Amino acid sequence: MKKSILILVLALTSIFTFAQNEKYVSMMEKTVAEMEAAKTAEDYQKAANVFERISNAEGKEWLPAYYNALCNVNLASLAMRGGESDKIVPFVDKAQTALDQCIALVPNESEVFALQGFIYTSRIWADPMNGGATFSPMAHKAFGQAIALDAKNPRAYYLRGQLVFYTPEFWGGGPKNAHKDLAAAAELFKSFEPNSSIHPNWGIGGNAYHLGKAEETVKKEKEGK
Amino acid sequence: MKNFLSTFLILFFSLAGNAQVSITGIVSDKNETIIGANVFLKDTYDGASTDLDGKFSFTTEEKGTQVITITYIGYENFEQSIEIGSYDVEITIQLKAIANELNEVVITAGAFEASDEKKAVVLNSIDIVTTAGALADISSALNTLPGTQTVGEEGRLFVRGGAASETRTFIDGMFVQKPYSSSIPDVPARGRFSPFLFKGTIFSTGGYSAEYGQALSSALILNSQDLPDETTTSVSLMTVGANLGHTQRWDKTSLSVSGGYTNLAPYTSLVKQDLDWIKPFQGADGQIVFRHKTSETGIFKFYASGNRSWFSLNNRDLSDINKMNRLDLTNDNYYLNTSFKEILNEKWTLFTGLAYTYDRDVVNESFKVNTKEQSAQAKITLSNQINDQMSLRFGTEYMHNTFDEHFTSSDGTVFNTDLNEDYTAGFLETDFYFSSKLVARVGGRLEYSDILKSWNIAPRTSLAYKTSSKSQVSLAYGQFYQNPENDLLRFNTAVDFERADHYMLNYQLMKDSRIFRVEGYFKKYQNLVKYDTATPWMSSNQGDGYAKGVDVFFRDRKSIKKGDYWISYSFLDTERDYRDFPIAAAPTFASKHNLSLVYKHWIHKWSTSIGITYSHASGRPFHNPNLEGFNAQRTNSYNDLSFNASKLTNIGGNFTVFFFSISNVPGFKNNFGYRYSTIPNNDGVFEGRAVQPNAKRFFFVGMFMQIGEKFDKENTVKPPE
């Protein structure tokens, strides 16, 4: 009898644990989809909040904190485009706090360093005239680390290409100089398979957009000559 | 046993069952509801975001004691235990804003800060380099801020009716005895320190901290750079000289060595000069900068510089302005500044510093002067964060100064001066944060001067109150003491400290990228040294004076795309009865109205930044001995329109800047005052002559190249569209 109780308890616990894991995955899948469909700041904030809750409940998972960071960078980007430059830094700070959790959990994850580079890039938005001097080298270093950890991570190339794309030409930036990274990212996106349904699998659209612009510039230049 | 099993199952299903409880409520700040706050039960998935009305609602199956958590950007995390039974829960929560630099009250009375690290500042360090007309000279750039007077023939900072000597320069908290190059009357001096050495500048036009003493009017506080980012070599070529520097960066240590040579001869041969140069200004200088991070939080800094400069010209005789005498000046200057800063623990921060200055001027005219000044200073400061509401800073310093001068007049009379000063001071200052809206700083400084055989105690206090999230009001009061200058002490040391009391009221509004500041002040001078020209050894502290006025500053980085401008206006009303003044009068350096307009524009297509500065100063007092009254005449007003342009580019993969600058583009005819012969001519008339800029315009062309600098460094990244 004692044995059967033990079995029963074990069985129930495993069902419970399994249910919990399924709940995690389904909740993550749902919220990732919401994030991908997000248009407004409210949408992103809602998704960020859900990721924060999951991250809080599932202390050992890095993905909820990763997406929380990503949502906050997107919020910073929306604030910048909406001309609310004083809101950028608080969002970026929040993104950095969330990403610090990721770095502690998975110190050798290429995706985390790619996002780190993106966070540094977003710090430039807050102060475009002066921020570049400090944060551009830091972003480049983080992208370099991401590529060193996984040379096939398309987001590392895409986000670096994007940074170069908006860097003035005389400092080696501009669409033409960004072409190489963006093209490399496009190639990697083609064969990219995420580790699971909830692992990072974003950026293909943004990359295609910037690559298109870069190709246009290259073409125009050739015609000009 | 079956009984037990069924109990277990019932218990299990009741736990996992659908006994949902709804939790609703409102999240707000003091006045406004908060949209998008994250409300949830800690360690569960249950939660929601607040809607447009700050309302939230979610259901949970959790029971018993749970922790409700709320997070929102810019606010402190909220946590509270709640009991969840079978009834719905309704809760209203007020979040507390995080006290940070942008919304926390800071004392702003008197201080203009240029910093790259803090956000709530008036200027960035780069502004000092890019202000037209400033030619990368710190003092010239700060002269576009309110509270300063344009005194073109001096090149130093004159603040709120104070003489140049009333502004003291500090590097990393240590006195700088000779911040300007050696010069003679009517030849403007230039700052000795490159603006690139500093990460932050605080220019205080009054009411500054008790940490700083020996300055009646103003403190210029320069904070040097920490470790440089990387190893680089830089070269600059200018119409007036060349510089070469190399910085080596290791993990925790850096060493920079640089040197320069300046020669104005080629330039003065091309552009007509008012002065009759024999050997135009030449100079050679060298610097060593060493940095070492002693720990995660500790840094040791070492700076040493050596400089020699010399020039010769035909100088107008002081007693007879029609007579010219050859004058030769040679200056040697060495400066050493070392400091160590460490955060000892959560509460205590330690700072120690040592500084040494050696300066020697040799002047040969019909008279000869050989002046040697030395200064050694040691300082230690401790700060303690007692709690969130209170912090304490205190420190002590000791300085030994010597002034040794041999003067031989044209008739061979020798006058030797030998002054030795041992100066000891201590200060203590406490900041009380009554709330994130109200802060008070109360402190004082105690000084003892051995040469004056006198001590003083100077209370300083300031208060700041945040009137809204973007605006604040500051008040400041303080007493300031300074030793009389050596050229007064050389005749008589039986005098006391000179004293100034500051009263200030400041209002500041910062919104988006616009800043508006207005500050009214009253400064009362007392114990100023006064003497009769015939008997300077009978000087006494019977002089006094006042300065009052209003300073206005407006900067706007938002209205014009890629453009940035600021406007400074100062109104000054001052009179003093000091030195050899027969009556109370406005001194010659005090103009009533000063206005500066600074505009900067970035032209993306040409990767060029251009700047325009317009300065205006109303007429300055001067004394015409042929007329009634003292300092009763006024010069014409001063006007200047300077232009500069910097083109950023790459040469062979090296980051390069070309710059061009020109002062007084429209060719305004300015004069700074008049000099009169001290002896009348045969007709009994004191002959006079206008003091003018050395040349109508000043051109400057140069290039700066950083070798090994990568492309992506120091860039201006445009945000994604």
Side-chain angles (χ1 to χ4, degrees):
Chain A
M1 197 61 220
K2 267 187 186 165
K3 220 178 194 179
S4 61
I5 293 170
L6 192 70
I7 290 165
L8 181 69
V9 171
L10 281 174
L12 282 171
T13 318
S14 69
I15 289 166
F16 193 69
T17 317
F18 179 72
Q20 191 68 8
N21 190 44
E22 198 169 72
K23 188 179 168 194
Y24 166 69
V25 173
S26 72
M27 197 73 174
M28 284 293 287
E29 279 174 344
K30 183 172 162 255
T31 319
V32 169
E34 276 168 11
M35 179 193 75
E36 278 168 356
K39 294 250 163 9
T40 63
E42 280 88 65
D43 299 343
Y44 277 111
Q45 187 65 62
K46 262 188 194 165
N49 286 351
V50 179
F51 286 127
E52 187 181 51
R53 294 201 285 269
I54 302 173
S55 169
N56 181 265
E58 309 282 353
K60 291 206 170 75
E61 299 289 346
W62 66 276
L63 287 166
Y66 171 89
Y67 285 113
N68 184 16
L70 180 60
C71 284
N72 275 289
V73 178
N74 283 322
L75 282 163
S77 157
L78 284 174
M80 175 260 301
R81 277 180 268 176
E84 298 172 296
S85 57
D86 47 344
K87 280 194 180 168
I88 297 172
V89 172
F91 283 127
V92 180
D93 285 346
K94 180 110 185 179
Q96 187 64 58
T97 311
L99 197 78
D100 287 345
Q101 288 175 27
C102 294
I103 296 171
L105 290 166
V106 281
N108 294 313
E109 175 55 58
S110 170
E111 295 288 358
V112 172
F113 284 95
L115 186 53
Q116 179 64 78
F118 194 24
I119 290 174
Y120 287 139
T121 306
S122 67
R123 291 215 183 265
I124 303 168
W125 306 338
D127 186 8
M129 288 301 280
N130 307 301
T134 316
F135 296 112
S136 179
M138 289 166 81
H140 275 274
K141 196 177 163 193
F143 292 135
Q145 280 168 306
I147 290 165
L149 288 165
D150 178 6
K152 289 189 168 164
N153 179 358
R155 274 162 294 280
Y157 298 91
Y158 157 48
L159 294 170
R160 186 168 73 180
Q162 184 184 264
L163 171 63
V164 174
F165 188 95
Y166 293 107
T167 300
E169 226 164 272
F170 50 91
W171 275 309
K176 202 179 123 195
N177 291 314
H179 186 272
K180 195 180 153 201
D181 271 339
L182 297 169
E187 204 51 47
L188 289 168
F189 271 124
K190 275 185 201 163
S191 55
F192 183 77
E193 282 295 332
N195 285 346
S196 79
S197 60
I198 57 171
H199 271 74
N201 190 19
W202 57 276
I204 191 160
N207 189 67
Y209 169 82
H210 287 97
L211 182 59
K213 290 261 172 193
E215 276 171 348
E216 232 172 74
T217 312
V218 174
K219 205 176 144 197
K220 259 188 209 160
E221 216 160 272
K222 271 187 188 159
E223 281 167 3
K225 277 169 192 170
Chain B
M1 206 65 240
K2 264 190 178 158
N3 213 5
F4 171 77
L5 195 65
S6 57
T7 317
F8 183 83
L9 286 173
I10 288 162
L11 190 73
F12 177 75
F13 284 113
S14 73
L15 273 174
N18 282 339
Q20 284 190 341
V21 163
S22 91
I23 298 176
T24 56
I26 295 183
V27 179
S28 67
D29 188 350
K30 268 173 197 152
N31 316 311
E32 298 163 34
T33 55
I34 292 176
I35 307 158
N38 197 6
V39 187
F40 58 99
L41 294 181
K42 203 175 180 183
D43 302 327
T44 77
Y45 283 32
D46 304 334
S49 299
T50 55
D51 65 12
L52 292 168
D53 300 316
K55 288 183 184 157
F56 66 88
S57 167
F58 62 91
T59 57
T60 184
E61 289 159 12
E62 307 288 338
K63 288 283 183 293
T65 307
Q66 295 291 335
V67 178
I68 191 156
T69 306
I70 303 174
T71 63
Y72 188 65
I73 277 182
Y75 288 84
E76 285 177 11
N77 287 353
F78 176 90
E79 283 194 0
Q80 188 184 310
S81 294
I82 55 166
E83 282 301 318
I84 302 179
S86 40
Y87 300 103
D88 291 352
V89 177
E90 210 180 318
I91 182 166
T92 304
I93 294 145
Q94 239 187 43
L95 291 188
K96 203 177 147 199
I98 294 172
N100 68 28
E101 255 186 71
L102 281 176
N103 61 30
E104 190 177 88
V105 61
V106 281
I107 291 165
T108 46
F112 280 95
E113 189 164 4
S115 170
D116 301 332
E117 291 173 342
K118 296 181 190 170
K119 281 276 156 245
V121 294
V122 171
L123 301 177
N124 289 93
S125 294
I126 196 85
D127 286 327
I128 289 169
V129 191
T130 56
T131 299
L135 291 168
D137 184 55
I138 297 171
S139 308
S140 306
L142 296 177
N143 238 320
T144 64
L145 294 177
T148 58
Q149 273 82 55
T150 302
V151 184
E153 77 279 21
E154 280 277 355
R156 297 160 211 252
L157 281 168
F158 288 75
V159 178
R160 290 184 171 170
S165 59
E166 294 175 29
T167 298
R168 294 300 291 265
T169 305
F170 300 85
I171 292 180
D172 293 332
M174 309 300 285
F175 280 111
V176 182
Q177 297 294 351
K178 295 278 171 187
Y180 301 101
S181 63
S182 272
S183 193
I184 56 163
D186 306 340
V187 179
R190 225 180 119 78
R192 289 188 190 273
F193 300 98
S194 154
F196 295 107
L197 285 170
F198 307 103
K199 64 175 177 186
T201 302
I202 299 169
F203 174 48
S204 176
T205 51
Y208 33 92
S209 152
E211 183 178 350
Y212 305 103
Q214 289 292 308
L216 286 182
S217 281
S218 166
L220 174 59
I221 299 153
L222 302 165
N223 293 314
S224 66
Q225 299 272 10
D226 296 331
L227 281 179
D229 289 339
E230 52 195 48
T231 296
T232 50
T233 301
S234 64
V235 185
S236 55
L237 292 169
M238 295 155 285
T239 40
V240 296
N243 271 296
L244 188 66
H246 181 75
T247 298
Q248 189 73 37
R249 167 75 200 254
W250 296 273
D251 182 29
K252 284 175 177 162
T253 310
S254 73
L255 180 71
S256 307
V257 180
S258 59
Y261 172 69
T262 308
N263 189 340
L264 260 66
Y267 181 80
T268 52
S269 65
L270 284 171
V271 181
K272 192 179 163 285
Q273 302 279 300
D274 187 51
L275 293 168
D276 184 10
W277 291 108
I278 299 165
K279 274 190 207 156
F281 184 94
Q282 286 185 70
D285 59 83
Q287 293 86 24
I288 297 169
V289 185
F290 175 79
R291 300 280 182 258
H292 180 66
K293 258 182 108 69
T294 52
S295 71
E296 207 39 54
T297 50
I299 188 159
F300 172 78
K301 293 179 175 181
F302 172 93
Y303 172 87
S305 67
N307 172 291
R308 167 170 270 219
S309 62
W310 61 96
F311 61 80
S312 305
L313 51 77
N314 283 314
N315 193 37
R316 283 181 202 284
D317 196 282
L318 284 176
S319 52
D320 179 0
I321 60 142
N322 293 319
K323 205 173 131 195
M324 300 288 264
N325 305 318
R326 180 186 168 126
L327 181 147
D328 294 272
L329 183 146
T330 306
N331 171 260
D332 290 298
N333 181 280
Y334 300 96
Y335 181 66
L336 185 84
N337 182 316
T338 70
S339 67
F340 170 65
K341 193 177 175 181
E342 174 68 288
I343 298 169
L344 301 174
N345 56 40
E346 267 183 32
K347 297 219 173 257
W348 290 93
T349 303
L350 169 79
F351 169 88
T352 61
L354 285 172
Y356 172 75
T357 306
Y358 172 93
D359 189 85
R360 186 192 174 104
D361 270 336
V362 178
V363 181
N364 281 314
E365 210 226 33
S366 51
F367 57 87
K368 287 181 170 44
V369 193
N370 188 335
T371 314
K372 194 167 88 182
E373 282 182 75
Q374 277 176 282
S375 169
Q377 187 199 5
K379 178 173 174 176
I380 179 162
T381 308
L382 280 163
S383 20
N384 185 356
Q385 189 70 40
I386 297 167
N387 55 39
D388 283 351
Q389 277 77 48
M390 203 175 153
S391 67
L392 180 73
R393 266 159 58 73
F394 58 93
T396 181
E397 62 190 283
Y398 166 78
M399 186 161 56
H400 180 74
N401 290 338
T402 63
F403 176 84
D404 189 2
E405 188 176 272
H406 301 277
F407 177 85
T408 315
S409 74
S410 47
D411 59 15
T413 320
V414 177
F415 187 85
N416 287 340
T417 310
D418 189 1
L419 300 171
N420 284 290
E421 161 74 321
D422 286 286
Y423 167 87
T424 317
F427 78 94
L428 187 138
E429 205 164 59
T430 316
D431 284 4
F432 297 98
Y433 281 85
F434 298 104
S435 69
S436 64
K437 286 192 167 173
L438 182 66
V439 60
R441 176 176 294 168
V442 181
R445 184 177 177 87
L446 182 75
E447 292 180 322
Y448 179 76
S449 162
D450 184 63
I451 194 166
L452 303 176
K453 298 273 181 272
S454 178
W455 62 278
N456 72 65
I457 181 156
R460 314 262 171 103
T461 177
S462 34
L463 195 76
Y465 177 71
K466 229 172 155 55
T467 42
S468 76
S469 63
K470 314 272 185 207
S471 66
Q472 66 168 49
V473 173
S474 303
L475 271 166
Y477 164 76
Q479 291 178 12
F480 300 83
Y481 292 88
Q482 187 169 358
N483 283 19
E485 283 190 87
N486 287 331
D487 65 338
L488 298 169
L489 292 176
R490 61 199 287 224
F491 293 111
N492 179 16
T493 57
V495 286
D496 207 346
F497 297 104
E498 298 188 311
R499 173 176 167 182
D501 291 7
H502 300 182
Y503 302 83
M504 289 163 8
L505 176 65
N506 168 298
Y507 173 77
Q508 176 169 305
L509 180 70
M510 271 183 136
K511 204 176 169 188
D512 301 326
S513 294
R514 298 190 186 98
I515 304 164
F516 172 74
R517 276 172 67 119
V518 58
E519 186 165 300
Y521 63 91
F522 177 72
K523 182 158 62 172
K524 189 176 170 227
Y525 286 100
Q526 50 198 310
N527 292 356
L528 299 181
V529 171
K530 205 171 149 50
Y531 59 87
D532 194 307
T533 349
T535 55
W537 53 88
M538 287 178 57
S539 57
S540 70
N541 287 92
Q542 276 166 358
D544 58 14
Y546 71 87
K548 58 188 177 191
V550 179
D551 293 343
V552 185
F553 179 80
F554 178 69
R555 182 170 190 177
D556 180 353
R557 274 180 270 204
K558 185 155 182 155
S559 303
I560 303 169
K561 208 180 170 193
K562 296 198 172 83
D564 171 10
Y565 66 91
W566 71 78
I567 304 168
S568 299
Y569 169 72
S570 315
F571 170 76
L572 169 70
D573 173 15
T574 184
E575 274 191 1
R576 46 171 75 191
D577 179 12
Y578 83 140
R579 302 223 164 173
D580 59 345
F581 281 29
I583 52 162
T588 55
F589 47 79
S591 42
K592 200 160 221 157
H593 306 279
N594 275 270
L595 176 77
S596 292
L597 292 166
V598 177
Y599 182 73
K600 298 176 186 189
H601 196 95
W602 172 247
I603 303 166
H604 196 73
K605 214 165 105 188
W606 302 341
S607 65
T608 298
S609 124
I610 57 164
I612 297 162
T613 300
Y614 170 70
S615 315
H616 170 86
S618 61
R620 280 168 51 192
F622 68 94
H623 179 60
N624 183 342
N626 300 304
L627 298 172
E628 289 283 310
F630 177 73
N631 276 6
Q633 316 305 314
R634 296 289 179 270
T635 66
N636 291 330
S637 61
Y638 169 89
N639 290 288
D640 179 74
L641 186 81
S642 293
F643 170 83
N644 74 0
S646 323
K647 183 174 170 65
L648 314 169
T649 182
N650 267 298
I651 293 183
N654 301 307
F655 171 62
T656 310
V657 185
F658 286 99
F659 43 86
F660 168 74
S661 165
I662 174 172
S663 71
N664 198 9
V665 180
F668 294 115
K669 195 170 159 26
N670 291 315
N671 65 52
F672 300 129
Y674 291 83
R675 266 187 207 291
Y676 289 88
S677 299
T678 51
I679 301 161
N681 65 13
N682 296 336
D683 303 325
V685 174
F686 295 93
E687 286 182 67
R689 193 176 179 280
V691 179
Q692 288 171 339
N694 197 359
K696 197 167 228 170
R697 295 186 184 86
F698 187 77
F699 299 90
F700 186 82
V701 181
M703 67 160 281
F704 170 84
M705 187 188 272
Q706 206 144 31
I707 297 163
E709 186 84 332
K710 281 188 215 89
F711 279 144
D712 49 76
K713 188 100 190 330
E714 285 195 285
N715 54 8
T716 310
V717 174
K718 225 178 67 178
E721 305 296 339

